[in-house]
Amino acid sequence: MLHILDARTGEPVPAAPARRGLTRVEARASGLDPTALRVLLTADLLVRALELGGTPVWTILTAPDRHAELRTAATTLSIRPFEDGRDLASGLGEAQAIHVTAEGADVPGGGPVVAVAPVEWLGAPPRDRAAASAEPSSPKDAAPSAGGSGRPGGAAQQDLAGHAPARAPEPAPAPAPGLAPEPAPHPAPHPAPHPALQPLLDDPATLRLALIAVPRRVPVRLDPSALAEAAGELARWRRAVAGWARRPSRPVPDEARARLRAAWEDDLDLPAVLDVLRDVEGAPDLPDGARFETYVYADRLLALDLARDLGSLA
């Protein structure tokens, strides 16, 4: 049975106390930054682990703003879709609600809390090559086209939600003589997305692996070398899985299956899951077909698309 550490009490509790009872997993994001992505990813891993154990799950997203951008970022990171947290009044009679949030956040209501340590990006955000190639090289190139986008050809930039930026408002008409002009409305500003967010999402599987590789309650400090290390390991595993797939299939070894389940059922210990995969990769007497099935089985939780390169080898 999956147990999680409840940040309210500091004690481990069952994630699904009622056998096959509906469990609500609520991801609570307070901004649009790498820490929010880690919160959403942790909620996704919790959902996948519960479903692997046969527990039905209802997942919702609660955030003060930027719902569309958060959902788009979650989809990019291979996170299951969330329902809207504003529909909490339409509860489905769940047996338990589990809240996943950044550590130190105030969570109203009952139910265990899964706390997630912050993510810090060290260094300048990696450049988006496509955006860099589109940058004007001279003031003449930067002049707005007839389309008014500020880029050659009139193609407007898009945000994380895929929306073009709003056009500048038309100037207000001059007030009639003797009348004071009406004050312009001032919409509440939204906090700007973290500058590294979009570049990090340009390689979502690598980011997912880099976040999974660190225990949930330990802060993550990402830098280009950490991402490069994760990208290298992910590429090696995908090549290996594609090669193992050419050998006769063998069942997942009982020991490997037991170690995998024991790891993720122990407070979602994903680094221990990755250690099992590394041991399976290097085990000298294990048939390649068994390695393949073990990786595919673990990827039901990890969602790293480890079998992506099947058929790519000659």
Side-chain angles (χ1 to χ4, degrees):
M1 175 184 292
L2 172 61
H3 284 74
I4 55 174
L5 185 70
D6 182 4
R8 293 189 196 270
T9 65
E11 299 292 333
V13 297
R19 180 173 175 79
R20 301 190 183 280
L22 178 64
T23 297
R24 186 179 88 223
V25 174
E26 178 182 0
R28 307 178 66 91
S30 59
L32 187 58
D33 54 34
T35 299
L37 291 187
R38 195 183 191 192
V39 169
L40 302 185
L41 174 58
T42 301
D44 179 64
L45 294 165
L46 177 58
V47 168
R48 291 173 185 271
L50 286 167
E51 289 181 342
L52 284 171
T55 298
V57 186
W58 173 36
T59 59
I60 63 174
L61 171 63
T62 298
D65 50 38
R66 294 195 176 276
H67 284 247
E69 293 97 328
L70 284 166
R71 292 177 189 278
T72 299
T75 300
T76 303
L77 205 53
S78 299
I79 292 172
R80 304 280 187 86
F82 293 97
E83 296 187 39
D84 197 330
R86 290 170 290 191
D87 295 336
L88 277 174
S90 59
L92 302 178
E94 65 271 3
Q96 174 161 275
I98 303 174
H99 309 276
V100 184
T101 186
E103 64 180 15
D106 183 27
V107 180
V113 173
V114 176
V116 179
V119 178
E120 180 184 4
W121 170 253
L122 303 178
R127 288 178 61 82
D128 182 342
R129 294 180 181 177
S133 64
E135 290 180 358
S137 57
S138 68
K140 180 180 178 181
D141 294 334
S145 67
S149 68
R151 289 187 181 272
Q157 285 183 298
Q158 294 182 338
D159 59 16
L160 281 170
H163 300 139
R167 297 177 117 188
E170 296 292 334
L179 296 179
E182 294 185 2
H186 294 284
H190 293 306
H194 190 281
L197 192 65
Q198 187 60 61
L200 287 173
L201 286 172
D202 285 343
D203 192 353
T206 292
L207 175 60
R208 189 175 175 107
L209 177 57
L211 294 176
I212 286 174
V214 180
R216 182 187 76 249
R217 299 190 300 276
V218 175
V220 177
R221 291 176 173 84
L222 293 178
D223 58 23
S225 64
L227 293 177
E229 182 179 352
E233 183 164 52
L234 182 60
R236 187 184 77 247
W237 280 350
R238 284 173 170 172
R239 287 193 301 268
V241 169
W244 298 333
R246 304 176 66 195
R247 309 296 297 174
S249 180
R250 295 289 186 272
V252 178
D254 291 339
E255 180 185 0
R257 185 188 297 271
R259 287 182 61 196
L260 287 170
R261 295 196 69 93
W264 76 59
E265 290 183 351
D266 181 15
D267 195 32
L268 288 176
D269 189 353
L270 276 301
V273 171
L274 299 179
D275 285 341
V276 175
L277 294 186
R278 296 181 184 110
D279 290 345
V280 167
E281 179 186 19
D285 300 324
L286 196 62
D288 285 348
R291 301 184 212 270
F292 171 82
E293 295 295 345
T294 301
Y295 271 62
V296 171
Y297 174 68
D299 205 35
R300 295 170 62 188
L301 174 71
L302 302 176
L304 295 172
D305 201 9
L306 296 177
R308 188 196 68 177
D309 293 344
L310 261 63
S312 63
L313 297 181

